[in-house]
Each structure stands twice: as structure tokens, then as C-alpha cells.
Amino acid sequence: MMRIGLFLLTNLAVMILVSILFNLLGIRGILDANGVDLNLPALLLMCAIFGFGGAFISLLLSKFIARTSTHTKIIEQPQTDNERWLLDTVRELAQKAGIKTPQVGIFPMPQANAFATGWNRNNALVAVSAGLLERFSREEIRAVVGHEIGHVSNGDMVTLTLLQGVINTFVMFLARLVGFFVDRVVLKNQQGLGIGYYVTSIVMNIIFGVLAMVVVAWFSRRREYHADAAGARLANRQSMIAALMRIKSESEGGHEAPLPSNMKSFGIYGNSISALLASHPPLEDRIQALQNPG
């Protein structure tokens, strides 16, 4: 809760700063001179409500969405030795990380992958693919589980949601501000919102949205290094390296493990057609970071 409170206070300060900058840069004056009766603080607040609201709703539904989209089976009562071992391993590593034991699940994917999600550190879900459980050694699986526990203990899901909320807010705000400017100042429309506003807002939403995706992807890549370090600390550094090398080998052999698009950033690894939009760093970079810590 402290993380959320500090983040919200920080972004409230940013919103106030933006309002001050608009006044100092004369944007308010330009709009007023062209008869644009636009309440910038109110617009910013509205965008913040929708931006953060959507992000937090997604966070609160994250476990349900993850379970249904990946067909994850939650282990309530272990039926096999592998399930029993996996449950014990998650419990042990969670205790070591100082968090409440997450729910544990297995999803029916033949490729090797895993993910963690949940709305807070003590109400999370950690799941591994059937392929990972069947083919990887227990030390490698333990390291992958440690990586996912690292995401949970680091509060990555909450932090990513807060960042997404801020970005959603400013994408909506700036797109609408440019739309108003084009409609009223450039096109001189004085009767309601004209076509210039709607077309410009849509176009700017797309442009600012792509730029926002670059920022979110950058943060996502940074947190993967921290989760790898957590996996090495909670399990074993060599096992973490071995697991990433095994995943790299399988992915190069054409055995990619794509998660649903809404889950890509939460998997153990992911690919992208663009380095700027990739949610995960290249596996070779992550391996090198573990081999040369510091």
C-alpha cells in the first residue's frame, strides 16, 4: 500500500506540474485567445480517472484473466509427485522471499514457460507450463519458479500497473489537448467539437500510444534482470543460467512458447518484432548479466 500511495502522490505532483507548465508556456493563453473554454486541470483529472481506473481493473482481474486465457489448472490437492514437489518448492521460495505462498498452477503448453500475476505480493499466482515441468530438471524449474517469485516479491505487477495508469492518463490527455488545439485554433471551429477534434484525437492516441508502449516495454525489460537476480538468489545462480540457456536452445530450435498477448510481459521470456517494444531482453543478455554480476 505504501508503494501505491507514494506513486499516486508522485503522479499528483506531476499533474500539478504539468498544469503549471501549460500556464508558463502560454498554452492556456493561446486557447483562451481562440475562444477555447477548456478546463485543463479538469481534463487531466478525468483522464487520470479513466487511465488509472482501467489499469487497476485489469490488475484486480489479472489472476482470473491469466487462468482463463492460459487454461491454468490450480493445484488444490496434489495428484502427482511433480505437483507435490512444485507446491512445496513454491511454498519454500515464497517463505524465503518473505511473501505469502501464491496459488500454484500448471497450464497445458508443451513449450517451456512460466508466469506470475496477481494484484499484490500476498495474493498472487505462479504457474508453469506442462512442458517445463516435464522436460526441465528440478533445479532448473526451481530457478524459474524463483524468477517468478522474484516478480511477486518485487511488486512488479503493481508497479507496472501504476506506470501504465500514468501513461494512459497522459496519452488520453495530450491526444485530446492536441485535438482541441487543431479543431479550435487551426480550423477555427467554434461550434461544439468538430471533425478536426475527433480525427486528430484518434491519430494522436495512436501516435502517443506507440510511444507509451516503448516506455512500458523498457521498464518491463529492466524488471526481468531483477527477477533473474532474484531467481539466482532464491534458488541457485548456475541453475538460473542453465534454465535460461535451455530456454534459449529450445526457442532457437523453433519451439517458441507464446503466451496470450495480455500475458506476454509476465512470462519467463518473450519475443517481439521490435527491440524497442520487446517485453523481455534477449536471453543472451540476461545470461551474460548473471554470469557477470555487478
Side-chain angles (χ1 to χ4, degrees):
M1 292 303 296
M2 182 177 293
R3 179 192 297 256
I4 294 176
L6 288 174
F7 208 100
L8 292 177
L9 286 174
T10 299
N11 289 291
L12 177 61
V14 172
M15 291 166 64
I16 294 172
L17 178 61
V18 168
S19 296
I20 294 172
L21 284 175
F22 282 157
N23 285 321
L24 292 177
L25 293 173
I27 295 176
R28 174 76 272 173
I30 294 173
L31 294 174
D32 288 341
N34 286 271
V36 183
D37 184 18
L38 182 60
N39 188 328
L40 291 178
L43 176 62
L44 190 56
L45 179 61
M46 182 201 73
C47 292
I49 291 172
F50 281 98
F52 278 97
F56 274 108
I57 289 172
S58 296
L59 178 64
L60 292 173
L61 295 176
S62 61
K63 286 207 299 183
F64 172 77
I65 294 172
R67 289 200 312 268
T68 55
S69 62
T70 60
H71 306 289
T72 295
K73 171 194 170 186
I74 303 298
I75 303 175
E76 302 288 355
Q77 294 293 330
Q79 302 296 316
T80 66
D81 182 57
N82 272 345
E83 290 184 358
R84 190 173 298 105
W85 174 83
L86 180 62
L87 200 59
D88 290 341
T89 299
V90 172
R91 185 181 298 113
E92 176 202 344
L93 296 183
Q95 183 177 11
K96 193 173 181 180
I99 62 172
K100 185 178 178 180
T101 302
Q103 285 185 304
V104 183
I106 300 173
F107 54 101
M109 179 182 285
Q111 299 91 347
N113 215 324
F115 68 82
T117 191
W119 74 276
N120 71 41
R121 287 159 40 102
N122 294 310
N123 189 2
L125 165 66
V126 170
V128 302
S129 69
L132 181 81
L133 199 57
E134 290 167 1
R135 293 194 310 279
F136 280 43
S137 72
R138 287 195 168 180
E139 284 304 308
E140 291 167 341
I141 299 171
R142 179 181 166 86
V144 170
V145 169
H147 170 101
E148 301 303 336
I149 293 289
H151 277 310
V152 176
S153 64
N154 291 338
D156 285 341
M157 284 76 76
V158 174
T159 304
L160 189 61
T161 298
L162 292 169
L163 176 62
Q164 189 66 62
V166 174
I167 286 176
N168 290 345
T169 297
F170 285 101
V171 166
M172 294 173 64
F173 176 74
L174 293 174
R176 281 155 181 76
L177 183 63
V178 175
F180 271 109
F181 188 87
V182 170
D183 192 53
R184 297 293 181 84
V185 178
V186 178
L187 300 180
K188 304 297 183 181
N189 173 51
Q190 299 299 324
Q191 298 182 352
L193 296 176
I195 188 67
Y197 168 80
Y198 292 106
V199 171
T200 303
S201 295
I202 291 172
V203 172
M204 297 313 297
N205 257 315
I206 295 172
I207 294 174
F208 290 141
V210 171
L211 294 175
M213 289 169 61
V214 172
V215 175
V216 173
W218 173 83
F219 173 77
S220 182
R221 290 193 297 273
R222 299 309 306 170
R223 74 194 183 100
E224 287 303 316
Y225 288 112
H226 292 296
D228 285 341
R233 183 178 67 255
L234 294 172
N236 176 279
R237 182 173 301 275
Q238 289 306 314
S239 296
M240 189 73 250
I241 293 171
L244 292 177
M245 291 181 70
R246 180 83 171 268
I247 291 171
K248 182 174 182 292
S249 176
E250 290 196 1
S251 65
E252 289 174 344
H255 302 291
E256 295 183 0
L259 287 169
S261 58
N262 61 306
M263 293 298 301
K264 282 183 179 179
S265 62
F266 297 107
I268 183 68
Y269 86 107
N271 294 322
S272 173
I273 58 175
S274 169
L276 285 176
L277 297 177
S279 60
H280 292 62
L283 285 164
E284 53 268 26
D285 291 353
R286 292 167 63 184
I287 292 168
Q288 184 175 17
L290 287 170
Q291 291 174 332
N292 303 288

